[in-house]
């Protein structure tokens, strides 16, 4: 971590310790959330998208302003079907930052249900995406050497036992694992499928949700956070996506930095209100994830 | 990989796959240093999984920070209470963490698998597995934590009772082909009810009972009751597998239970897989299974064979390794932060 980021983190930590969480809604004015609004939006996400769940997380990292069993939100095992390097235009058109399994039929979610044109995705000029914001902010991240998935050949050999009477190493009803890897989508751009756990925490300092990505390789071995950046748009890989400690889980994880979330959400809220749509705070996450092509 | 013909072919099961969160290794390191120390007794752990939810990837049995008991006195109990939910169904496991690399490589892996297979068999015989169906998914983890280098060596097993002669299948097709629209809708509603009710959401095995005009999801312990009440009954399980031609591994022990306890010859099975939190009728499979005659299973003291050590990422029956010095070594982290 570079010095400027560490100083900022120390400052942010100190502010978070001495100030209480926001209690008055400023959703429409500033695009930010109170903890209660975060809970409301989280409950809505879990109810509408059952692949998301609330998590309790590590008891020692619990935030007192949330119930013990509703500390953050997570959805696991989301396939990443494309690598960012190969298809620049598409994600720009989608206004998305991270190329995970972009939703298909049902992800129109909130815009559609509120009478907005269902092809909003094709009108990026109307909805500001994260990348129209803040080109000048250069956040640097420190590169940690790759870790995690060891070459399996460095694992030790096990003692050789005659298979006991009642045990078999493998039987003929076991499907060959080669079959598992034989199923690759036809798209030439698709490498083997990495997967992601996507989580949403509440950032008390920025008063917004914060989205985190934990990556796994095609064998579901941990991916070092730098490799996660491969799946993120190059524009964002070193700026709005940073690698930091997760507030509830162990280790470093890639995160979409929340410093612009409030401003971006405010712009979207203004667009919606100008169309006569009254934005509801409990749909916040649908919109946020939609923006990131994560829903 | 044939299907839809009237002839039967041997049923093959896609092996289950493991995944371990970084948080689990952090927890194991402190568990080893603070609680376990030099003891090597088996430790109850919990794994978690959800039904397959994307056609591109299988769902894994995942170990997380909360997979290990945090209470130092907790190691004596056979299992410990864990918080599960519909996307995190708890599965009981046993961890053997060795003190040394030699101890790890010298572990008698066939015997360990045999012990767990025996537990599963006893749970089937006693009816316990019908009360708590997740017991059918028991798993085994052996490990060695090299805390000087922050390297972890480990190997999973998903013990399955071997049925010989093999189970055959006369048909394996998507739910959308096996049922008409009305039935599909009724199945969808019954499954949603099961998955949406907190008390049943994380129970990985269940029944679908077709009565006049309705389908209801019921716990597997209701098998005999449902038979008496009449109507069609199919067995269902949360299938971690994403392959369109084969069921996943957990079906093996359910079929062992069906053969041993329900004494059925033919069984229709739903391999339950999801899309966006609801049954995916294209991805979910209906498999018509034929079970063989197994007279020797009734003999007192009989113990079936077990199978299930996971292959590594290169397809070999060997342990895996993970190296976490970058995120766990305090000295290295201090240097990088400086």
């Amino acid at each position: 971590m570079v010095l400027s980021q560490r100083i900022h983190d120390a400052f942010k930590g100190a502010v978070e310790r001495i100030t209480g969480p926001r209690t008055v809604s400023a959703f429409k004015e500033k695009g930010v959330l109170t903890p209660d609004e975060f809970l409301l939006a989280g409950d809505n996400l879990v109810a509408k998208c059952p692949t998301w769940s609330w998590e309790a997380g590590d008891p020692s990292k619990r935030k007192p302003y949330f119930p013990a069993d509703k500390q953050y939100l997570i959805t696991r095992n989301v396939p990443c079907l494309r690598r960012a390097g190969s298809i620049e235009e598409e994600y720009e058109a989608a206004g998305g930052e991270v190329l995970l399994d972009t939703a298909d039929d049902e992800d129109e979610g909130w815009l559609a249900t509120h009478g907005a044109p269902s092809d909003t995705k094709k009108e990026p000029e109307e909805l500001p995406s994260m990348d129209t914001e803040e080109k000048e902010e250069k956040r640097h991240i420190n590169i940690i050497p790759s870790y995690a998935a060891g070459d399996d050949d460095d694992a030790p050999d096990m003692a050789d036992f005659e298979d006991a009477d009642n045990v078999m190493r493998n039987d003929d009803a076991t499907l060959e694992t080669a079959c598992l890897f034989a199923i690759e989508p036809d798209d030439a751009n698709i490498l083997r499928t990495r997967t992601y756990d996507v989580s949403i925490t509440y950032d008390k300092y920025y008063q917004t949700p914060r989205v985190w990505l934990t990556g796994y390789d095609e064998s579901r071995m941990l991916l070092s956070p730098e490799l996660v950046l491969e799946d993120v748009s190059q524009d964002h890989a070193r700026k709005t996506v940073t690698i930091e400690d997760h507030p509830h889980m162990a280790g470093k994880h890639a995160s979409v930095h929340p410093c612009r979330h409030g401003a971006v959400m405010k712009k979207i809220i203004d667009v919606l209100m100008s169309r006569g749509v009254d934005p509801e705070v409990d749909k916040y996450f649908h919109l946020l994830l939609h923006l990131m092509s994560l829903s | 990989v044939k299907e839809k013909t009237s002839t039967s072919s041997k049923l093959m099961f896609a092996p289950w796959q493991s995944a371990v969160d970084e948080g689990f290794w952090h927890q194991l390191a402190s568990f080893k240093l603070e609680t376990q120390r030099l003891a090597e007794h088996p430790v109850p752990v919990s794994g978690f999984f959800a039904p397959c939810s994307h056609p591109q990837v299988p769902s894994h049995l995942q170990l997380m920070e909360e997979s290990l008991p945090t209470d130092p006195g907790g190691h004596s109990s056979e299992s410990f209470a864990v918080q599960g939910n519909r996307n995190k169904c708890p599965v009981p496991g046993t961890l053997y963490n060795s003190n040394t690399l030699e101890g790890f490589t010298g572990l008698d892996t066939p015997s360990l698998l045999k012990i767990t297979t025996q537990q599963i068999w006893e749970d089937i015989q006693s009816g316990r597995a019908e009360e708590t169906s997740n017991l059918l998914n028991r798993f085994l983890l052996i490990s060695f934590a090299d805390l000087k280098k922050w390297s972890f060596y480990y190997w999973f097993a998903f013990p399955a009772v071997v049925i010989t002669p093999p189970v055959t299948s006369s048909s394996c097709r998507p739910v959308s082909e096996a049922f008409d629209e009305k039935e599909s809708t009724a199945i969808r509603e019954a499954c949603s009810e099961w998955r949406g009710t907190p008390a049943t959401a994380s129970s990985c095995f269940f029944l679908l009972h077709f009565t006049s005009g309705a389908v209801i999801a019921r716990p597997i312990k209701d098998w005999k009751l449902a038979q008496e009440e009449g109507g069609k009954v199919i067995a269902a399980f949360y299938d971690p597998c994403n392959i369109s031609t084969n069921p996943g591994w957990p079906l093996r022990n359910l079929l062992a239970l069906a053969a041993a306890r329900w004494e059925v010859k033919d069984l229709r099975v739903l391999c339950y897989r999801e899309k966006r939190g609801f049954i995916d009728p294209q991805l979910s499979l209906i498999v018509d299974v034929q079970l063989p005659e197994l007279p020797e299973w009734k003999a007192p003291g009989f113990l079936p064979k077990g199978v299930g050590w996971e292959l590594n990422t290169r397809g070999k029956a060997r342990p895996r390794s993970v190296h976490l010095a970058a995120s766990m070594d305090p000295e290295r982290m201090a240097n990088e932060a400086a």
Side-chain angles (χ1 to χ4, degrees):
Chain A
M1 215 183 282
V2 293
L3 193 61
S4 62
Q5 190 182 338
R6 283 166 54 220
I7 291 169
H8 178 74
D9 284 353
F11 169 73
K12 179 171 175 282
V15 171
E16 284 183 347
R17 273 192 298 279
I18 56 173
T19 56
R22 169 175 282 279
T23 51
V24 181
S25 176
F27 168 60
K28 286 180 192 171
E29 294 74 29
K30 294 181 180 167
V32 297
L33 293 184
T34 66
D36 282 348
E37 287 171 329
F38 180 86
L39 284 175
L40 195 65
D43 284 342
N44 184 279
L45 181 68
V46 168
K48 296 275 164 57
C49 307
T51 50
W52 286 88
S53 308
W54 281 108
E55 284 285 328
D58 182 347
S60 67
K61 295 176 178 168
R62 264 177 209 160
K63 308 291 181 228
Y65 40 87
F66 289 129
D69 58 344
K70 290 184 176 180
Q71 293 281 315
Y72 68 102
L73 295 143
I74 194 161
T75 184
R76 295 191 177 82
N77 208 30
V78 180
C80 169
L81 295 181
R82 290 166 293 186
R83 292 288 159 77
S86 55
I87 27 169
E88 296 279 329
E89 317 78 39
E90 238 185 276
Y91 60 73
E92 280 180 9
E97 287 195 294
V98 183
L99 285 171
L100 287 164
D101 183 24
T102 44
D104 36 38
D105 40 11
E106 289 155 59
D107 81 328
E108 248 84 56
W110 169 137
L111 293 170
T113 55
H114 286 73
S118 61
D119 58 345
T120 32
K121 272 184 120 173
K122 298 183 185 99
E123 299 169 36
E125 69 282 358
E126 276 194 62
L127 290 178
S129 78
M130 299 266 177
D131 66 352
T132 60
E133 297 293 323
E134 225 32 56
K135 289 286 186 200
E136 70 275 17
E137 195 198 357
K138 297 255 187 279
R139 297 184 61 88
H140 297 283
I141 56 147
N142 189 30
I143 301 296
I144 313 166
S146 174
Y147 65 96
D151 185 333
D152 270 341
D153 285 346
D154 70 4
D157 272 321
M158 299 296 289
D160 209 8
F161 288 91
E162 285 296 308
D163 280 358
D165 282 348
N166 281 81
V167 183
M168 299 151 87
R169 274 263 191 255
N170 244 323
D171 71 345
D172 53 9
T174 304
L175 194 67
E176 294 266 339
T177 37
C179 301
L180 301 178
F181 293 118
I183 302 179
E184 288 190 15
D186 297 332
D187 189 332
N189 288 324
I190 299 172
L191 303 179
R192 277 184 178 174
T193 311
R194 288 181 177 178
T195 53
Y196 284 89
D197 292 349
V198 184
S199 51
I200 305 175
T201 63
Y202 181 71
D203 192 295
K204 191 176 153 198
Y205 180 83
Y206 291 104
Q207 301 173 353
T208 64
R210 179 166 191 169
V211 177
W212 300 81
L213 297 173
T214 309
Y216 298 86
D217 73 9
E218 27 294 287
S219 309
R220 194 75 186 169
M221 298 290 282
L222 279 172
L223 209 56
S224 70
E226 295 70 46
L227 293 174
V228 171
L229 296 180
E230 284 180 11
D231 296 332
V232 173
S233 139
Q234 292 306 303
D235 275 354
H236 301 290
R238 311 276 161 197
K239 285 179 281 178
T240 47
V241 178
T242 57
I243 294 166
E244 292 175 48
D245 289 324
H246 192 287
H248 297 281
M249 294 194 281
K252 303 273 180 199
H253 301 251
S255 154
V256 184
H257 201 271
C259 56
R260 302 299 308 166
H261 284 8
V264 173
M265 290 302 288
K266 168 66 180 150
K267 282 199 176 186
I268 292 165
I269 289 162
D270 289 346
V271 169
L272 289 169
M273 289 175 81
S274 74
R275 289 177 183 170
V277 175
D278 189 28
E280 294 167 50
V281 71
D282 60 350
K283 312 282 170 48
Y284 193 109
F285 293 159
H286 297 280
L287 190 48
L288 184 70
L289 295 167
H290 184 90
L291 256 189
M292 298 178 182
S293 302
L294 286 172
S295 67
Chain B
V1 194
K2 53 97 260 173
E3 267 25 305
K4 282 204 276 188
T5 57
S6 55
T7 56
S8 288
S9 63
K10 187 169 71 187
L11 190 58
M12 312 258 287
F13 306 86
W16 213 345
Q17 296 170 66
S18 66
V20 188
D21 277 6
E22 189 170 347
F24 178 79
W25 300 122
H26 286 248
Q27 198 65 35
L28 179 62
S30 52
F31 178 77
K32 170 75 192 150
L33 292 172
E34 290 156 27
T35 306
Q36 192 191 25
R37 297 168 192 266
L38 294 177
E40 285 190 320
H41 52 73
V43 179
V45 289
S46 287
F48 301 96
F49 89 111
C52 170
S53 58
H54 292 275
Q56 302 87 0
V57 287
S59 151
H60 296 70
L61 185 101
Q62 195 159 353
L63 261 62
M64 307 174 184
E65 199 165 327
E66 58 265 49
S67 290
L68 264 170
T70 42
D71 162 30
H75 58 250
S76 54
S77 64
E78 211 225 312
S79 65
F80 62 102
V82 283
Q83 201 71 33
N85 61 46
R86 56 171 289 152
N87 298 318
K88 228 174 95 178
C89 310
V91 175
T94 306
L95 166 72
Y96 295 83
N97 187 44
S98 302
N99 282 326
T100 62
L101 186 62
E102 293 69 33
F104 173 72
T105 56
L107 283 172
D108 183 351
T109 48
S111 295
L112 294 179
L113 188 71
K114 185 175 167 180
I115 290 168
T116 311
T117 309
Q118 190 162 2
Q119 279 177 322
I120 293 168
W121 180 245
E122 281 165 7
D123 289 340
I124 289 174
Q125 295 292 313
S126 68
R128 227 179 132 213
E130 279 157 286
E131 291 290 331
T132 312
S133 67
N134 292 15
L135 292 171
L136 292 172
N137 282 337
R138 275 181 194 278
F139 70 96
L140 188 59
L141 171 63
I142 61 172
S143 64
F144 165 60
D146 182 351
L147 298 182
K148 290 195 182 90
K149 294 180 186 157
W150 305 101
S151 291
F152 299 85
Y153 302 95
Y154 66 101
W155 199 0
F156 277 86
F158 304 106
V161 170
V162 173
I163 300 177
T164 25
V167 175
T168 59
S169 147
S170 54
S171 163
C172 175
R173 55 201 160 136
V175 167
S176 55
E177 285 177 29
F179 293 101
D180 64 29
E181 206 168 308
K182 199 175 154 222
E183 285 172 314
S184 289
T185 307
I187 290 171
R188 178 185 162 103
E189 280 164 9
C191 291
S192 292
E193 170 95 33
W194 184 261
R195 293 282 287 150
T197 308
T200 55
S202 57
S203 297
C204 336
F205 299 89
F206 59 104
L207 304 174
L208 287 179
H209 188 191
F210 293 68
T211 55
S212 50
V215 181
I216 37 171
R218 309 179 65 164
I220 56 168
K221 67 174 179 202
D222 284 0
W223 173 266
K224 292 219 160 88
L225 202 60
Q227 298 294 333
E228 285 161 20
E229 288 168 17
K232 205 167 42 159
V233 184
I234 67 179
F237 73 104
Y238 294 176
D239 192 353
C241 169
N242 63 323
I243 296 175
S244 61
T245 50
N246 294 76
W249 202 250
L251 178 56
R252 299 191 70 156
N253 289 338
L254 178 64
L255 293 180
L257 185 147
R261 292 278 294 180
W262 304 340
E263 300 181 340
V264 291
K265 297 281 158 286
D266 297 287
L267 184 68
R268 177 165 271 204
V269 177
L270 164 66
C271 306
Y272 178 85
R273 303 170 185 179
E274 288 191 339
K275 181 181 186 182
R276 292 176 184 270
F278 297 96
I279 187 171
D280 183 336
Q282 276 78 44
L283 193 59
S284 298
L285 303 176
I286 294 292
V287 189
D288 289 321
V289 173
Q290 293 80 48
L291 290 156
E293 296 282 347
L294 298 159
E296 70 281 10
W297 280 28
K298 294 206 173 68
F302 171 77
L303 177 63
K305 290 188 182 201
V307 65
W309 285 103
E310 186 181 29
L311 302 180
N312 71 8
T313 55
R314 290 161 184 260
K316 291 181 188 152
R318 287 182 62 180
R320 300 181 178 205
S321 62
V322 63
H323 308 288
L324 295 173
S327 73
M328 291 180 79
D329 182 353
E331 201 173 312
R332 191 159 154 187
M333 286 162 76
N335 283 338
E336 273 167 10

